[in-house]
Amino acid sequence: MSAASRAPQRSNRAPQSSNRATRFSRRATLAAGAAAAALLVSACGSGGTSGGGGDTNFVVGTDGISTVPEGKRVAAPELSGKTLEGKQLDVADYQGKVVVLNVWGSWCNPCRAEAKYFAAVAKDYADRGVQFVGINTRDGSTTSALAFEKDFGIPYPSLYDPTGKLMLRFEKGTLNPQAVPSTLVLDRDGRIAARSLTALNEERLLKMLKPVVAEK
């Protein structure tokens, strides 16, 4: 037998352990991508129906709008800071007015869908003792947020809250940090009277607002 025929023959197939490692790596990559996609969807969708527990006295309506009876309302937390324009704003200064708080981000498509309704209602109710205030979240800079306001003709100020610190000041169960956009209506005493964790059209926004404006 020749030396050539006695030499060990090399296989073109990779070892099984190498194949298993490759398959595992591919599965891990796909799983990580799916998890990232799921997180992105949950961060900006049509919102949610739960604020994460807590006894906040909300009565949930069939249309996703929650309300609180006057005798069971709790005060909103201290909400102050710099606006997108760099001015100081304290929501407490609006006590005596009905305040509409809207959590939004320029990156959020449902926020874009509802923006025109908020701009219109804010203008219509400006002389009826109603003040709108935005809470802009998860925008890395104010540039895109200011462009958003310009595009939709937003006439009211927004607090700049890129890391969501203001949202975390609310009592547990009031807001869901993953539900953007969200809207709260505060009564004239600064107490939380109504809430929606989904995007609103004009009809549903007015359904939240009108009963609180009508209170004496």
Side-chain angles (χ1 to χ4, degrees):
M1 181 179 293
S2 67
S5 63
R6 290 197 303 270
Q9 299 298 311
R10 294 185 181 180
S11 171
N12 290 327
R13 292 188 300 174
Q16 289 186 0
S17 60
S18 176
N19 288 336
R20 285 196 297 269
T22 300
R23 289 196 297 270
F24 178 80
S25 177
R26 287 174 180 170
R27 286 197 298 268
T29 300
L30 290 172
L39 180 59
L40 180 60
V41 170
S42 69
C44 178
S46 60
T49 57
S50 172
D55 183 12
T56 49
N57 300 315
F58 283 114
V59 178
V60 181
T62 56
D63 55 2
I65 295 173
S66 302
T67 57
V68 185
E70 286 191 63
K72 294 185 178 182
R73 293 174 186 170
V74 298
E78 188 268 334
L79 298 170
S80 63
K82 292 291 185 68
T83 66
L84 292 172
E85 293 81 9
K87 298 179 181 179
Q88 193 67 29
L89 185 150
D90 189 341
V91 173
D93 292 340
Y94 296 124
Q95 191 158 337
K97 292 186 175 184
V98 173
V99 176
V100 179
L101 295 173
N102 178 240
V103 181
W104 65 279
S106 67
W107 43 269
C108 171
N109 285 332
C111 301
R112 303 184 74 85
E114 72 173 9
K116 61 183 178 181
Y117 306 120
F118 277 75
V121 175
K123 292 172 183 175
D124 289 345
Y125 277 75
D127 59 352
R128 304 187 199 186
V130 176
Q131 175 64 50
F132 279 62
V133 177
I135 299 178
N136 172 257
T137 188
R138 300 185 204 163
D139 271 313
S141 72
T142 61
T143 303
S144 56
L146 288 169
F148 177 103
E149 289 191 329
K150 183 178 180 180
D151 288 345
F152 292 100
I154 302 298
Y156 50 86
S158 284
L159 288 164
Y160 183 47
D161 185 33
T163 59
K165 290 182 179 180
L166 294 180
M167 293 180 69
L168 295 176
R169 292 181 183 179
F170 286 89
E171 185 176 347
K172 182 180 179 181
T174 302
L175 290 175
N176 183 339
Q178 292 185 339
V180 180
S182 294
T183 301
L184 296 174
V185 177
L186 310 184
D187 65 18
R188 292 181 179 86
D189 294 319
R191 302 173 302 171
I192 300 169
R195 175 190 70 180
S196 172
L197 300 181
T198 63
L200 297 170
N201 58 22
E202 185 169 350
E203 180 182 1
R204 293 179 66 233
L205 175 56
L206 289 173
K207 186 174 181 179
M208 286 182 68
L209 180 59
K210 284 183 175 180
V212 186
V213 173
E215 294 174 357
K216 302 299 181 182

